[in-house]
Amino acid sequence: MPHAGAKRFYKRAETSSVPGGFGIELDGRAVRTPAGDALLLPTQALAEAVRDEWQAQADVIKPESMPMMQLSCTAWDRVVPNRDVIIGQTAAYGATDLLCYFSDKPDELVRRQREGWQPLLDWAAAELSAPLETANGILHIAQPEASLVALKAEVAALDDWSLTAVAQLTQVLGSLVLALAIARGRLSAGEAFRLSVIDDNFQAERWGEDREALQRLRGLEREVDAAVVFLGLARA
């Protein structure tokens, strides 16, 4: 993938049918990942989305405006050759999941967290066979080993493309439960993001919005939205 600031060097981006899936061609030449592999995509819908990102580039290519291409390259270069490592890293979030650590004060923040997070914890216990312990405060609490095993099995059952999205979502949201709820269709991108920033929003209401903090949250929200779109296209 060209580096930021590279000049557009092609006239037309197109999809192509190739053995095992779909490729992207720029003036007839296959698009390659940063590792040098020809990009192979699992669905026509995802291929068309990546093609449209390439076609939409102006005189200067802006990689940050190509989230489907970036996530596709992540899948090929990082997830596929390191699948077991990515599964382990992603599943490890279950031991320190955001939803398990409620604030100890003020009461209104705790109430919002309980109302927002407890239904997802109940869902994880019922649907994923992964009941999790909770605490008030930041001191680490041990989780049931059987629950961690169940969560890892859920992650391991994902195909490479879904795993790419879930790994990204888990990291951005700080919660494996929220990421799996999205993958299972339990939550939308917007719902999951709002649940992940209950504390941030409460503090903004109480003390006023901080410009840098707001920009950071908007960036994270864009990452969540992109990962969810990618997940849907990869499954289309």
Side-chain angles (χ1 to χ4, degrees):
M1 186 168 181
H3 58 78
K7 298 290 187 180
R8 177 165 172 161
F9 55 88
Y10 57 93
K11 292 183 178 179
R12 184 160 185 80
E14 298 177 299
T15 62
S16 59
S17 294
V18 295
F22 301 86
I24 306 295
E25 294 183 350
L26 305 178
D27 294 341
R29 302 176 71 175
V31 166
R32 294 186 175 276
T33 70
D37 294 330
L39 184 62
L40 179 65
L41 302 168
T43 67
Q44 184 172 351
L46 180 56
E48 290 174 351
V50 174
R51 174 203 64 195
D52 291 346
E53 289 181 342
W54 281 103
Q55 193 61 35
Q57 297 303 301
D59 292 339
V60 176
I61 296 173
K62 297 181 178 180
E64 69 275 10
S65 70
M66 306 171 71
M68 297 305 103
M69 176 63 186
Q70 290 183 328
L71 285 165
S72 296
C73 289
T74 297
W76 262 117
D77 288 353
R78 182 165 177 259
V79 176
V80 172
N82 303 291
R83 178 178 171 83
D84 290 344
V85 173
I86 301 301
I87 289 171
Q89 291 175 342
T90 303
Y93 274 80
T96 57
D97 200 285
L98 168 72
L99 304 193
C100 296
Y101 292 87
F102 298 92
S103 297
D104 49 10
K105 60 182 178 180
D107 291 344
E108 174 59 19
L109 175 56
V110 177
R111 183 190 68 78
R112 293 186 192 185
Q113 291 173 336
R114 290 282 177 189
E115 287 185 355
W117 296 351
Q118 192 60 54
L120 272 299
L121 293 170
D122 294 342
W123 172 82
E127 297 296 324
L128 306 181
S129 300
L132 297 172
E133 300 292 332
T134 64
N136 290 86
I138 60 174
L139 291 179
H140 176 72
I141 51 173
Q143 296 297 345
E145 186 61 29
S147 296
L148 298 179
V149 169
L151 289 173
K152 186 171 185 178
E154 189 74 15
V155 175
L158 298 167
D159 64 75
D160 293 333
W161 301 88
S162 298
L163 176 58
T164 300
V166 168
Q168 175 79 350
L169 288 166
T170 300
Q171 183 176 359
V172 174
L173 297 170
S175 170
L176 177 57
V177 172
L178 290 180
L180 291 175
I182 292 173
R184 285 283 200 103
R186 172 68 172 74
L187 290 176
S188 69
E191 290 168 337
F193 183 74
R194 283 191 293 275
L195 289 171
S196 76
V197 295
I198 289 176
D199 182 68
D200 297 270
N201 288 337
F202 180 81
Q203 298 303 331
E205 289 176 17
R206 195 174 190 185
W207 305 109
E209 289 184 342
D210 176 86
R211 183 182 226 174
E212 289 186 5
L214 185 59
Q215 289 178 339
R216 180 183 67 84
L217 290 179
R218 286 176 175 170
L220 293 175
E221 187 171 19
R222 286 192 294 270
E223 290 187 53
V224 171
D225 289 341
V228 174
V229 170
F230 177 84
L231 179 64
L233 292 171
R235 290 175 166 181

